């Protein structure tokens, strides 16, 4: 029996790609092992979004160079593979497979070549209009399933590697997305997360011609599906119809992740984000004026070249106005091939760190206040696991807040929807108790 090990870095798109790759391998007669030491084939599905992410895979590969990699076949998949191409073989000579995400549908053939002893197998073609679909996907979570609806990116943000590592945008047909959603519901999944680098740029390539808001609304009508999430939305393609769809159907989670990157027009322009601060705020106003309360989260980059103190303050000001439920914040990291490399006035690392600290502290206070407002409220949680260390069940609310709670119910709650009263709030999570009286305690 041939064995494989796969470690995944990066975003949810990568996580889901790994589920598809694993499925394809199992279908080829491989079985998965937990430790790289035990595997014949060791795969790293890599991320290149920031330099730190890229370095991780090379330090992993380095560990094996010193000794215990003998007889194993090493493969680098994903965004570093696409970005570095054959250079990976120079940087890590024990690697035999380098394959970007646009070539995964060719993996079965590549495996055959590896098994035949070929030590330089590559899949680096980006000029494909294919999406990676396989009937063999092995999903890690039995209750929540990812569905990739659009791959690649047609934007050209000045700092970003994704257009180079994942190629041009390709949408799946609405029929294949709907069929997958229905199949998932039949096999017991209750939560679906629609994925794309810019999920709302979705354009149905079939004659049906659905836009993203239509697809979202239809997935929300699939019998058996209780929650639909989607990530990541791009402000440029964000339309009010998305908010209307969420308003019209409780099964569409009341959460929108809408990366701002900066609150300064000058920076947004140099980033080539294709929207102004006002455009962005208009999108958030649609969300804020919805009938349902919709949680908003975002991504921010600090220290982009030329970012002045005034630009940075404009971002802090946006945080005050938007009142994000949470945010991911990053120091700008210069990336290969990107236009931002040519911009003047780089911000020193130390100053980037200072700005990141200020931003995160401000956001922490906002989150603590927003979360504290929820003390005493009832929230619905999809239970993911039991934390033996704390004696609490862990799950997420529709707004995607983490809620840790205790329950007097004796049996396992994993996979069920439970009503929980919030008793305490921290900046990053809530604590509560399940509501146990009949009628209010809902378990499915
Ligand atoms: N397509 C999404 C985001 C994809 S990448 C969008 O356009 O919003 C996820 C996040 O990584 C980005 O939102 C951005 O905040 C961050 N990021 C991307 N490139 C970066 C870089 N070179 N340095 C620092 N952060 C970066
Ligand atoms: Fe990168 Fe911009 Fe595309 Fe997002 S929209 S993936 S930040 S290039
Ligand atoms: Fe990273 Fe590639 Fe995703 S660069 S964030 S794994 S698209």
């Amino acid at each position: 029996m041939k064995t494989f090990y796969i470690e995944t870095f990066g975003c949810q798109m990568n996580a889901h790609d790994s589920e598809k790759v694993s499925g394809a391998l199992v279908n080829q007669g491989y079985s998965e092992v937990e430790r790289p030491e035990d595997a014949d084939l060791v795969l790293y599905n890599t991320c290149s979004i920031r330099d730190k992410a890229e370095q991780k895979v090379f330090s992993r590969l380095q560990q094996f160079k010193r000794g215990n990699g003998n007889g194993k076949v090493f493969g680098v998949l994903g965004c570093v593979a696409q970005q570095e191409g054959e250079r990976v073989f120079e940087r890590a000579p024990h690697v035999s497979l380098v394959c970007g995400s646009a070539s995964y549908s060719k993996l079965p053939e590549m495996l055959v070549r590896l098994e035949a002893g070929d030590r330089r197998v590559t899949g680096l073609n980006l000029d494909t209009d294919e999406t990676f679909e396989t009937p063999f996907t092995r999903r890690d979570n039995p209750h929540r399933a990812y569905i990739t609806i659009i791959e690649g990116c047609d934007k050209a943000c000045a700092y970003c590697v994704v257009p180079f590592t994942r190629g041009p945008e390709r949408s799946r047909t609405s029929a294949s997305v709907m069929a997958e959603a229905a199949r998932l519901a039949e096999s017991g999944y209750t939560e679906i997360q629609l994925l794309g680098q810019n999920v709302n740029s979705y354009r149905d390539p079939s004659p049906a011609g659905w836009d993203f808001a239509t697809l979202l609304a239809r997935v929300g009508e699939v019998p058996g599906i209780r929650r639909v999430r989607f990530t990541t939305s791009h402000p440029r393609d964000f339309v009010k119809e998305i908010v209307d769809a969420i308003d019209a159907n409780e099964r569409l989670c009341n959460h929108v992740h809408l990366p701002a990157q900066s609150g300064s027009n000058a920076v947004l322009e140099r980033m080539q984000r294709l929207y102004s601060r006002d455009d962005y705020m208009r999108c958030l106003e649609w969300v804020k004026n919805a009938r349902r309360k919709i949680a908003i989260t975002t991504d921010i980059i600090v220290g982009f070249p030329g970012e002045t103190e005034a630009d940075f303050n404009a971002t802090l000001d946006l945080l005050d106005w938007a009142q994000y439920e949470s945010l991911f914040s990053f120091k700008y990291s210069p990336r290969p091939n990107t236009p931002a490399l040519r911009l003047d006035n780089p911000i020193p690392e130390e100053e980037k760190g200072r700005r990141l600290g200020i931003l995160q502290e401000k956001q922490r206070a906002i989150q603590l206040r927003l979360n504290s407002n929820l003390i005493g409220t009832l929230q619905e949680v999809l239970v993911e696991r039991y934390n033996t260390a704390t004696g609490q069940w862990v799950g997420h609310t529709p707004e995607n807040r983490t809620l840790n709670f205790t329950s007097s119910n004796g049996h396992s709650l994993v996979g069920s929807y439970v009503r929980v009263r919030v008793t305490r709030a921290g900046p990053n999570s809530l604590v509560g108790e399940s509501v146990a009286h009949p009628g209010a305690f809902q378990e499915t």
Side-chain angles (χ1 to χ4, degrees), residues 41 111 114 174 205 300 309 335 428:
L41 174 63
L111 287 173
L114 285 172
S174 53
I300 299 285
E309 197 65 32
R335 305 306 296 131
N428 298 311

Side-chain angles (χ1 to χ4, degrees), residues 249-320:
N249 182 354
E250 292 256 330
R251 291 192 277 176
L252 304 184
C253 288
N254 48 340
H255 171 216
V256 171
H257 183 67
L258 199 63
Q261 311 302 358
S262 168
S264 151
N265 277 329
V267 174
L268 288 172
E269 197 168 328
R270 275 201 306 283
M271 287 179 166
Q272 299 171 32
R273 282 293 283 182
L274 310 175
Y275 54 83
S276 67
R277 178 186 169 109
D278 279 353
D279 297 334
Y280 180 81
M281 288 168 75
R282 194 171 321 118
C283 296
L284 287 203
E285 259 160 11
W286 293 328
V287 179
K288 285 174 182 286
N289 292 333
R291 282 191 301 281
R292 295 176 67 195
K293 165 118 190 53
I294 300 176
I296 311 168
T297 57
T298 200
D299 295 350
I300 299 285
I301 296 176
V302 300
F304 191 69
E307 183 186 70
T308 62
E309 197 65 32
D311 292 326
F312 176 61
N313 284 333
T315 300
L316 294 179
D317 182 67
L318 179 67
L319 262 52
D320 275 330

Side-chain angles (χ1 to χ4, degrees), residues 147-176:
I147 302 183
T148 307
I149 61 165
I150 174 169
E151 293 177 12
C153 175
D154 278 352
K155 306 280 190 288
C157 303
Y159 50 81
C160 185
V161 291
V162 172
F164 309 102
T165 63
R166 290 197 167 251
E169 266 174 22
R170 290 100 64 202
S171 291
R172 284 173 64 179
T173 63
S174 53
S176 82

Side-chain angles (χ1 to χ4, degrees), residues 49-50 159 197-198 259 261 273 299 330-331 333 335:
I49 201 81
R50 286 165 291 275
Y159 50 81
Q197 273 305 336
N198 298 310
Q261 311 302 358
R273 282 293 283 182
D299 295 350
F330 312 101
K331 291 190 275 186
S333 169
R335 305 306 296 131

Side-chain angles (χ1 to χ4, degrees), residues 132-238:
F132 178 38
E133 292 175 46
T134 159
F136 309 116
T137 306
R138 288 178 80 224
R139 289 185 160 82
D140 293 335
N141 183 309
H143 310 290
R144 184 186 49 209
Y146 295 129
I147 302 183
T148 307
I149 61 165
I150 174 169
E151 293 177 12
C153 175
D154 278 352
K155 306 280 190 288
C157 303
Y159 50 81
C160 185
V161 291
V162 172
F164 309 102
T165 63
R166 290 197 167 251
E169 266 174 22
R170 290 100 64 202
S171 291
R172 284 173 64 179
T173 63
S174 53
S176 82
V177 174
M178 293 306 292
E180 185 164 6
R183 256 197 324 273
L184 289 166
E186 275 160 26
S187 18
Y189 292 91
T190 58
E191 181 175 310
I192 280 180
Q193 185 157 358
L194 303 177
L195 295 182
Q197 273 305 336
N198 298 310
V199 76
N200 58 325
S201 310
Y202 175 83
R203 245 299 144 208
D204 184 359
S206 75
W210 293 2
D211 60 10
F212 175 67
T214 307
L215 182 74
L216 180 65
R218 294 293 177 86
V219 173
E221 288 163 6
V222 172
I225 297 303
R226 288 184 60 156
R227 285 184 174 184
V228 184
R229 302 183 180 283
F230 56 98
T231 198
T232 295
S233 298
H234 192 287
R236 168 84 182 196
D237 300 325
F238 196 82

